[in-house]
Structures are given as structure tokens and as C-alpha cells.
Amino acid sequence: MVLGKKLAVESQLPSVLEDNAAEMESELVSQSDQVGGIGSRPPSRPRKPYSRGSIDNQLVVRSDTSTRLSLSGPSGSGAGEEVTNQGNEEEGQPSDDPSHNLEGEMACVTEDQDYDTDLELEDAKEPYDPTGETCYREACKVFGVVPVSYFLRNMHASELIMMHHGLGPQGTKALAVPLVTNTSILKLNLRDNWMEGLGGAAMAEMLKENCYIIEIDLSENRLGLKGAQAISSMLQENSTLVSINLSGNDFDDHAAMYLSKALMTNQKLEVMDLSHNRMGDAAGEVLGNAIAENTAIKDFNLSWNCIRGKGSVALAKGLGANIFLRKVDLSYNGFGKDGAVALGEALKINNILEELNISNNRIPPDGAICFAMGLQENKTIRTINMSRNPMQTAGCYGILKAIQENPESAMESLDFSEITVNVDFDELYEAVKETLPKLQVKHGGRIDKFKKLKPKDISETVEEGTALPVKTDNQ
């Protein structure tokens, strides 16, 4: 029984398979007719008219390949058949309408143009002005002053000299604004512009930022105590300034307190001029201590002040301890005997100093002789100016004698202007010239120069053809 049923099923199987195959074939044909695809495969996914590439995020147009296709029929006979994209718009595909394709391409081009414009166009920027002319004009408007035409014409130069322009505090403030960023000016001379404390403070703030100016002259500007404070603060921060002139600014002992702090801190400044101020004994003490600690300054000018007594002694000790100073001007102070003695002691230990000016310092003969003791050991000093001191012939002779007794002396110039000498000094000078042929001595003339000559001496002078007076027996 079972075997019979099995044989019956097997006999019906070929017909069932044939029927199923016919159904599947008819289904495929009907589907291909609906979507216009190839009968041997299911339809592919719909394509878009363009796609995004991976290069610079730009849009790349893809050519439309679905407009006209030549396909073989299901029978494989090779006959061509035109198939159109019907119903593609419903499935998300672009239509064959030329206007539709043109719109797509124009949208792509517009997007690319916008993209390039974003890269190429930037906000318009004003060109950089290294001299600061524009900001100077604006600053003049702010501070209510007239721009200085000379400054506008020369602000590009490496050296600017603006003496006696009457800037005043407000004009100085306006001038400081462009100098903060100016990269051309290296040497600046603003002497006698009446800038006072406010203008001096503006210049000091400018020099804290400017790293190009190496020399500045602020002399005769009446900076006063406020200006000294600002300058001192600036010198403790500035690292490019090499030379500063602060002459004639009404600095007193209080101002010297601030300036001494700058000398102790600043190790770049090489030239400092504090002449023609009102600094006294207290200033000499604080500046002496500061100079002893300084390791950079080479040229120091304290002439035309009121340093005397203990201040002169402290200052002399500071000069002896300093091993960098080359030139010192202490003229027109009141060192006297005590100061001269202290300077002599300083010269014994200082073998760096080359030029010293102590003219018009009330140095008497015994003070000059004590000062000469230092010259017996010093090996570097080349020039000494001791003119207009009441040290008479004895003081001059003692200094010259000390130089003669120092075989390693480097002396080249001695200035005893307005101090008369005698014959003994002249004879000693001739002897010293044999060992130091370069030595030059200035003095106020011989004591007997204007003595009336005897008739016999006059005849001898005429016969010799010289205008020099003849020595007398008592000289």
C-alpha cells in the first residue's frame, strides 16, 4: 500500500515542477515589463543624478545612463528594444526632462562658486604702519594738541632729534603713543621740551614696551620727583636701553633714592648722565652704594651737583669697588680734602678707570698730594682733569711727581688749567717726558711769565729768536 502511494507521487512530480517553473518565469517577465529592467536579474537600486565625491567636499556630476537602453528580449533573439524611464520620478529617480537636468547642474555650479568665494575673499585689513603715523594723529586729537610736522617727517629715521619743540606734558603723551610700536628710531633726543613729571611718566611707560630705542636724551625737562620715580621703574624693566641723559631735571636727594634702586637692578645701562641737578650728601651716599653693586655702567656723570663731605667719601668708595667704570665726571661738586683723600684710596684698588674729571672741587694742596698717593699705584688711568682747584703749584708738582715714580703709569693727559706753576714744575715735566713721551700737561702758565724782564735778558731773548722769558735766580 505504501509502495503504491509512493509511486503515484513520483509520477505526478514532473508535472508539478513544470508548472512551478512556468509560474516563476511568467512572474519575472511581468516584473521586467513593469520596471524596464533586464529579465535575467532583479532591478538595480535607483541612481541619483549626482553624488558627493571625497575630494575637497566638491560635487561631481554623474552622467545619466538610464535614458536609453538596448536590451535583448527574454528569448535571447538579439532584437533591440527601446526602454524608457517611465515612473522613475515616483521612485526618486530624475526624469529625462532637459530642464530638470539643467537645474541640477546649475545648482551644483552655484554651490561650487559659493564655496570658492568663501576661501578667496577675506575682510579688508589696513596695512601695518611700523612708524605709527596714524595712531599719532589720533592721539593728538585725544590729547588736544597739534601734531608736530617735524616728527611726522622724521619718524622713519633711525635717529630723531627734537630739541626745544615745547611739547609739554600733553604733547609728550601724544608722542609716546606711536613710539610704543615704532621700529625705526634707535636714538631719541627730546631735550628741553618741558615735559615735566606727567610727560616723563609717559616716556617711561613707552620705554617699558619699546625694545628698539637704545639711546634717549630727556635732559632739561623738569621731570622732578615724579619723573624720577617713573624713570627708575622703567630702568628696572627695560633691557635694551644703553644710554640715558637725565641732566637738568631738578633731581634732589629723594629722587636719588629711586635712581639708586635702578642702578642696583639694571645691568644693561652703560651711560648715565645725572649732571646739573640738585643732589647733595645723601644722594652721594646712596649712589655710592649703588655704583659699587652695578656691573654694567661704564660712563657716569655727576657733575654740577652739590655732593660734598660724607657724600663725596661714600661716592669715592663706591667708585673704588666698581670694576666696570671707564669714565667718571665729578666736576663742579665740593669734594674738598676729604673727598680727594677718598678718591686717592679708590685709585689704589681700581685698575679699570681710565678717565676722571674732578675739576672745580675745592681741592687744596694737601688734598691733591693725598690724591697723588693713589696715582703711584694705579696702572690704567689715562686722563685726569683737576683744573680750577685751589691746589696751587705744590699740588700740581705732587701729582706729577707721583706719576714719575710709577713705572707702570698709563697717564697721557693732565689738565691743570687756570693753575699757575713754577720753574720746578717745568723741569720735572721735562724729566717725566723722557719716560712718558705721550704725556700732555695743561696749566695756567708760569708764575714769572708776566714779570718785567731786565734789559740784558731782553737782548739775550732777541738774539736767540725766542719769546720765552729767561729764568731768574730766585726761581
Side-chain angles (χ1 to χ4, degrees):
M1 179 71 74
V2 175
L3 183 59
K5 290 181 179 181
K6 183 177 182 181
L7 291 173
V9 170
E10 288 179 355
S11 62
Q12 295 176 359
L13 184 60
S15 62
V16 172
L17 293 175
E18 289 177 0
D19 294 339
N20 291 338
E23 285 182 16
M24 292 178 63
E25 186 175 358
S26 63
E27 248 177 74
L28 291 174
V29 171
S30 63
Q31 291 178 0
S32 65
D33 291 339
Q34 291 177 2
V35 299
I38 300 174
S40 62
R41 64 178 182 180
S44 62
R45 64 179 181 177
R47 293 190 177 188
K48 296 181 180 181
Y50 55 86
S51 64
R52 271 184 197 280
S54 60
I55 301 177
D56 297 333
N57 294 327
Q58 295 181 356
L59 300 178
V60 181
V61 180
R62 174 179 291 170
S63 60
D64 191 359
T65 58
S66 60
T67 55
R68 300 179 64 88
L69 295 175
S70 177
L71 302 175
S72 60
S75 61
S77 61
E81 184 179 7
E82 292 184 0
V83 182
T84 60
N85 266 345
Q86 298 178 357
N88 286 339
E89 292 179 356
E90 296 177 358
E91 297 178 4
Q93 294 184 359
S95 65
D96 292 340
D97 188 0
S99 62
H100 181 82
N101 294 336
L102 182 61
E103 290 177 0
E105 293 178 2
M106 290 297 294
C108 179
V109 172
T110 303
E111 186 172 353
D112 289 345
Q113 289 178 349
D114 294 341
Y115 182 76
D116 293 339
T117 302
D118 292 340
L119 288 179
E120 294 174 359
L121 296 180
E122 297 180 357
D123 295 338
K125 296 181 179 179
E126 296 183 359
Y128 176 68
D129 183 11
T131 61
E133 178 180 350
T134 304
C135 63
Y136 175 59
R137 294 183 182 276
E138 295 296 328
C140 289
K141 294 180 181 178
V142 172
F143 293 107
V145 295
V146 178
V148 181
S149 58
Y150 179 84
F151 177 64
L152 293 172
R153 292 195 305 268
N154 296 276
M155 62 195 310
H156 61 279
S158 61
E159 183 175 2
L160 178 64
I161 300 176
M162 286 186 59
M163 299 186 296
H164 321 300
H165 275 71
L167 295 175
Q170 297 299 105
T172 305
K173 288 181 181 179
L175 190 71
V177 173
L179 290 177
V180 171
T181 56
N182 187 285
T183 60
S184 302
I185 299 174
L186 303 179
K187 299 179 181 180
L188 179 62
N189 187 341
L190 297 175
R191 183 179 182 180
D192 187 25
N193 276 286
W194 208 283
M195 57 181 62
E196 299 181 347
L198 293 176
M203 281 290 117
E205 291 299 320
M206 178 273 293
L207 290 172
K208 287 182 179 180
E209 302 296 332
N210 187 293
C211 57
Y212 291 89
I213 296 177
I214 59 175
E215 295 184 16
I216 188 167
D217 188 342
L218 300 176
S219 60
E220 298 181 20
N221 276 290
R222 297 166 178 80
L223 300 181
L225 181 60
K226 186 173 183 178
Q229 292 175 342
I231 294 296
S232 174
S233 176
M234 177 272 295
L235 289 176
Q236 295 179 52
E237 298 183 22
N238 186 284
S239 59
T240 57
L241 202 61
V242 176
S243 174
I244 186 169
N245 189 341
L246 299 171
S247 173
N249 279 297
D250 298 330
F251 292 157
D252 55 9
D253 291 345
H254 297 288
M257 296 288 292
Y258 294 101
L259 296 174
S260 64
K261 295 179 182 179
L263 282 174
M264 288 184 178
T265 305
N266 188 294
Q267 305 301 329
K268 295 293 184 180
L269 194 67
E270 297 181 1
V271 181
M272 190 173 194
D273 190 343
L274 296 174
S275 62
H276 293 270
N277 283 293
R278 298 185 288 108
M279 293 182 287
D281 296 349
E285 294 182 14
V286 295
L287 291 176
N289 296 331
I291 291 173
E293 299 294 331
N294 188 278
T295 59
I297 196 163
K298 298 178 181 179
D299 188 344
F300 192 49
N301 191 343
L302 272 173
S303 62
W304 290 90
N305 278 280
C306 307
I307 301 174
R308 57 185 66 125
K310 294 181 179 180
S312 63
V313 174
L315 188 58
K317 290 181 179 179
L319 296 177
N322 188 287
I323 58 174
F324 294 92
L325 273 169
R326 303 282 182 178
K327 181 180 179 181
V328 177
D329 191 347
L330 302 173
S331 60
Y332 288 88
N333 280 281
F335 273 53
K337 178 181 178 181
D338 294 338
V341 173
L343 285 173
E345 294 296 324
L347 291 179
K348 290 181 181 180
I349 58 178
N350 187 311
N351 280 312
I352 302 296
L353 191 64
E354 297 178 357
E355 298 183 28
L356 178 62
N357 188 346
I358 50 175
S359 61
N360 211 323
N361 265 281
R362 306 177 185 175
I363 299 176
D366 52 346
I369 294 172
C370 293
F371 173 77
M373 301 299 292
L375 297 178
Q376 290 182 348
E377 302 181 21
N378 189 279
K379 303 176 183 178
T380 58
I381 195 161
R382 298 184 295 104
T383 302
I384 292 181
N385 188 342
M386 298 185 71
S387 61
R388 292 177 291 279
N389 277 298
M391 58 188 188
Q392 304 176 3
T393 302
C396 298
Y397 186 92
I399 291 173
L400 192 59
K401 186 67 175 177
I403 295 173
Q404 184 187 35
E405 294 176 356
N406 184 359
E408 298 182 359
S409 176
M411 190 66 65
E412 296 178 0
S413 176
L414 282 174
D415 191 345
F416 298 137
S417 298
E418 300 187 22
I419 304 175
T420 56
V421 297
N422 57 14
V423 178
D424 293 336
F425 181 87
D426 280 346
E427 293 177 351
L428 179 61
Y429 175 50
E430 294 297 330
V432 173
K433 286 279 288 185
E434 295 179 0
T435 57
L436 296 173
K438 295 183 180 180
L439 178 62
Q440 300 292 326
V441 178
K442 293 181 181 180
H443 55 74
R446 289 253 302 270
I447 294 176
D448 60 348
K449 181 176 181 180
F450 300 103
K451 282 189 176 182
K452 188 175 180 180
L453 298 178
K454 297 178 182 180
K456 182 180 179 181
D457 296 335
I458 295 175
S459 61
E460 291 178 356
T461 303
V462 173
E463 290 177 359
E464 294 176 359
T466 61
L468 294 175
V470 180
K471 299 178 182 178
T472 59
D473 296 335
N474 60 348
Q475 293 178 339

